[in-house]
Amino acid sequence: MGNYFMLPRSPYWGAGEILLETPNKNYSLGNLPELFEDMNVADGTAKWRSVAAAPNVTEPGVPTHCYNGKDIPTSASFRYTKQEDFPDEVPDTVYGDGDGTVPARSLQICHKWKSTVNVTEYSGDQGEHDSIIQSKGFVNSIIELVSQNSYLHF
């Protein structure tokens, strides 16, 4: 089920935005069940519907600090140039902005919350998804944040 939570979701992606392109058919959130059927993933639609029914990430209502990467090529969609390759071969990747794992659009959800106090973005090697928590700047930010009693209510 975990991989299904990684799929794009409404309202952050439109129903018609292409996620997977083949010469004969394009797939988006609007026809994702067809993709599972065409790939012979018998339980795909049921799992997707279960995930899609879960609440979206919403305003947490507490002071929030966002840390994310940017300016790193990140998978945005996929393309099969030959129909006979679908679905058994590896498709070409169409890249967009993000942290190398998560697209920028998902990373920026917390930027819009009223409760967001601070946004820190990292570029280059330090902005890669797994590298952020290893950067000295991030570690120092967390130490400073935890040291401030105004955010800790015991």
Side-chain angles (χ1 to χ4, degrees):
M1 286 288 286
N3 288 339
Y4 288 84
F5 280 98
M6 297 295 290
L7 290 170
R9 291 180 64 187
S10 175
Y12 310 111
W13 268 261
E17 288 185 68
I18 297 171
L19 302 174
L20 178 70
E21 179 182 345
T22 74
N24 294 346
K25 190 174 193 177
N26 293 331
Y27 299 93
S28 66
L29 289 180
N31 67 347
L32 211 50
E34 293 175 38
L35 173 62
F36 298 129
E37 182 179 321
D38 293 348
M39 293 179 69
N40 295 315
V41 179
D43 61 350
T45 297
K47 287 182 178 179
W48 167 244
R49 286 193 173 129
S50 174
V51 167
N56 276 317
V57 176
T58 59
E59 170 80 45
V62 296
T64 304
H65 297 260
C66 302
Y67 298 88
N68 63 268
K70 66 176 187 170
D71 303 329
I72 297 174
T74 303
S75 302
S77 64
F78 301 93
R79 178 182 303 131
Y80 284 96
T81 54
K82 295 187 224 169
Q83 189 64 37
E84 62 268 16
D85 289 345
F86 174 76
D88 298 320
E89 301 299 323
V90 176
D92 296 328
T93 302
V94 178
Y95 290 96
D97 186 24
D99 70 0
T101 300
V102 180
R105 189 179 334 190
S106 292
L107 294 168
Q108 294 173 353
I109 291 169
C110 72
H111 296 206
K112 298 173 180 149
W113 294 335
K114 292 177 184 175
S115 63
T116 298
V117 175
N118 180 51
V119 173
T120 304
E121 295 184 310
Y122 296 90
S123 296
D125 293 340
Q126 289 189 340
E128 200 278 322
H129 187 80
D130 293 329
S131 298
I132 292 173
I133 61 170
Q134 297 173 23
S135 79
K136 288 181 181 179
F138 172 78
V139 172
N140 288 337
S141 293
I142 297 301
I143 290 170
E144 182 179 334
L145 181 63
V146 171
S147 297
Q148 296 173 359
N149 290 332
S150 62
Y151 289 104
L152 301 176
H153 303 284
F154 293 105

